Amino acid sequence: TIQDTRIVTDERSRELSMKQLEASNAGRMEKWNRERVSSNLAMQVSLADANKNERDRLQRAMRDGVSQLRELGKSMGENAAKLTSFEESFAHIKHATGVNSLTEMVDKITDHEENH
């Protein structure tokens, strides 16, 4: 019948409109996805440059720290040698003067200076 044909035609028109809307939405979604991927790639390139700069800065800081550590180690070795020499000299003086502490040594030297 004519009425059935109209109903079928209306249904097909609605289906066609829905399919056209879905196709339009799919096209917009695809465009958005391409833009997002492009943006992500640009961000990754930018971050890679920033990470490289940060990595280079940290490597320079590490080299400087290692250099300072070597210098401190060398200085500590020199100071240890001086300290050992001072301790040996102090032990020799303690033995020669017959005192057991630095305070006794200072008192003995002070008394000696006052008496002479």
Side-chain angles (χ1 to χ4, degrees):
T1 69
I2 296 177
Q3 189 173 5
D4 291 339
T5 307
R6 282 189 196 148
I7 293 173
V8 170
T9 303
D10 289 344
E11 286 178 8
R12 287 190 177 179
S13 291
R14 278 195 296 272
E15 283 181 29
L16 180 61
S17 293
M18 291 296 290
K19 294 291 183 184
Q20 288 172 338
L21 182 61
E22 286 177 15
S24 173
N25 287 342
R28 288 190 315 198
M29 182 65 88
E30 187 63 34
K31 179 183 174 191
W32 172 82
N33 193 39
R34 281 192 305 270
E35 290 172 356
R36 185 183 61 81
V37 167
S38 176
S39 175
N40 284 348
L41 289 174
M43 187 183 310
Q44 286 177 354
V45 168
S46 174
L47 287 175
D49 289 342
N51 288 340
K52 182 185 181 309
N53 292 338
E54 180 67 8
R55 185 176 54 247
D56 291 345
R57 184 188 68 76
L58 290 173
Q59 287 174 343
R60 279 192 306 276
M62 180 83 87
R63 282 191 301 270
D64 292 346
V66 167
S67 176
Q68 289 175 351
L69 185 60
R70 281 190 196 119
E71 290 175 19
L72 287 173
K74 181 180 175 184
S75 175
M76 189 172 77
E78 292 169 357
N79 288 339
K82 288 178 185 177
L83 181 61
T84 301
S85 174
F86 288 145
E87 287 176 344
E88 289 172 358
S89 297
F90 184 66
H92 180 70
I93 293 170
K94 279 179 18 179
H95 180 69
T97 58
V99 295
N100 292 321
S101 71
L102 184 60
T103 305
E104 288 179 42
M105 188 182 302
V106 170
D107 290 342
K108 192 169 190 176
I109 293 171
T110 304
D111 290 342
H112 181 71
E113 288 177 351
E114 289 175 359
N115 292 332
H116 293 350

